[in-house]
Amino acid sequence: MEKILEIKNLHKSFGGTPVLTDINLSVYEKEVVCVIGSSGSGKSTLLRCLNLLEYPDSGKVYFAGREITAPGVNVNRLRTEIGMVFQSFNLFANKTVLGNLTLAPRRVLKMDKKSAAEKATRVLESVGMADFAGRSPKTLSGGQKQRVAIARSLVMEPKIMLFDEPTSALDPEMVGEVLSVMKGLAAAGMTMIVVTHEMGFAREAASRVVFMDEGKIVETGPPAVIFNNPRAERTRQFLKRTLPPA
């Protein structure tokens, strides 16, 4: 498989406090990489550096063969290729579900209204939300909002999807419907980096699991290795705290 993303020697600090330290990671097409670790370990900041919501202090990020941390990168165009789903949905409350999906295709891709609406409707169907196209996001459940947020990214046909704790703001009974959509994307070959506390999803859907602690990548490997036979003591301690007893 082709390498789609490469992170080299990435560092990021806030107010002089290191948040990411010497991050090196490659992601290949159709991989599902799940990033796990305690709160404050730098997982979300790492994702935000990958679509330039945060700029790294040093280091480089290469996407689809080009350096995106270089000066002069078209950030708006980049974000059409690197989709991102946030834990807080970030939908526009003053637009309908369909309006949320058609905004970027019309403004960024310059699609006409009819074509954008037809494409958005197809994507809504794929996440089970076509019947809600005319609704306001304010009337939706958390799980429905997150499925719309996923659809909003998908409508731009991204080459990779970033998920930042996509189920952490949901009631437990709504988590399954979102994870089901994500598993479907993985099965269809979407390249994904998922920051998650859903260990069951990481076990089942990940090609590779990355464990972060204190802003560093401590260990990376297949789910069977990370969950059943981790090499690092910090990984073992984290899993002992988070996994249910055998």
Side-chain angles (χ1 to χ4, degrees):
M1 288 186 289
E2 294 288 327
K3 186 184 297 182
I4 191 169
L5 187 76
E6 188 171 15
I7 306 165
K8 290 186 174 182
N9 309 115
L10 197 73
H11 292 257
K12 177 68 179 176
S13 297
F14 292 115
T17 301
V19 179
L20 297 174
T21 303
D22 199 26
I23 299 294
N24 291 276
L25 183 69
S26 295
V27 178
Y28 294 83
E29 288 183 351
K30 300 187 178 181
E31 263 200 311
V32 178
V33 176
C34 284
V35 185
I36 63 173
S38 302
S39 297
S41 59
K43 308 183 302 296
S44 294
T45 300
L46 174 59
L47 279 198
R48 293 172 68 85
C49 285
L50 300 183
N51 71 349
L52 303 184
L53 285 170
E54 300 285 354
Y55 277 82
D57 298 332
S58 62
K60 296 181 178 181
V61 178
Y62 296 88
F63 170 69
R66 65 188 190 274
E67 185 193 343
I68 62 174
T69 42
V73 167
N74 184 331
V75 174
N76 289 331
R77 176 61 64 174
L78 175 71
R79 290 176 187 158
T80 68
E81 299 182 79
I82 303 178
M84 186 154 182
V85 178
F86 302 87
Q87 55 185 298
S88 55
F89 322 126
N90 289 13
L91 299 175
F92 296 108
N94 63 336
K95 295 188 177 296
T96 64
V97 166
L98 187 67
N100 268 274
L101 265 71
T102 57
L103 184 64
R106 294 187 65 192
R107 285 190 178 177
V108 180
L109 303 183
K110 308 303 181 186
M111 292 180 69
D112 63 79
K113 184 176 181 179
K114 182 173 182 289
S115 298
E118 289 174 349
K119 186 175 185 180
T121 299
R122 290 195 299 271
V123 176
L124 285 171
E125 286 173 354
S126 74
V127 299
M129 290 299 295
D131 291 343
F132 297 83
R135 295 267 291 271
S136 164
K138 291 182 284 190
T139 68
L140 304 181
S141 71
Q144 291 168 337
K145 287 177 183 176
Q146 197 59 291
R147 284 190 280 159
V148 171
I150 292 171
R152 184 177 58 181
S153 285
L154 290 175
V155 80
M156 301 300 285
E157 298 184 15
K159 294 178 180 176
I160 188 171
M161 291 273 285
L162 311 178
F163 292 84
D164 186 11
E165 296 278 15
T167 60
S168 65
L170 304 180
D171 293 331
E173 65 269 21
M174 298 174 185
V175 169
E177 65 187 71
V178 174
L179 293 181
S180 177
V181 170
M182 293 171 64
K183 288 175 184 175
L185 291 176
M190 173 62 73
T191 310
M192 299 158 62
I193 304 177
V194 185
V195 168
T196 185
H197 61 274
E198 297 288 344
M199 298 300 153
F201 174 82
R203 278 183 186 271
E204 184 178 340
S207 317
R208 199 155 32 113
V209 176
V210 174
F211 171 63
M212 291 186 65
D213 187 55
E214 296 183 348
K216 300 175 182 177
I217 292 178
V218 175
E219 188 168 356
T220 179
V225 172
I226 297 296
F227 288 110
N228 299 329
N229 191 29
R231 298 183 301 276
E233 177 61 25
R234 285 151 80 187
T235 313
R236 289 194 287 270
Q237 290 299 321
F238 170 77
L239 293 173
K240 187 176 179 180
R241 294 195 308 270
T242 55
L243 293 178

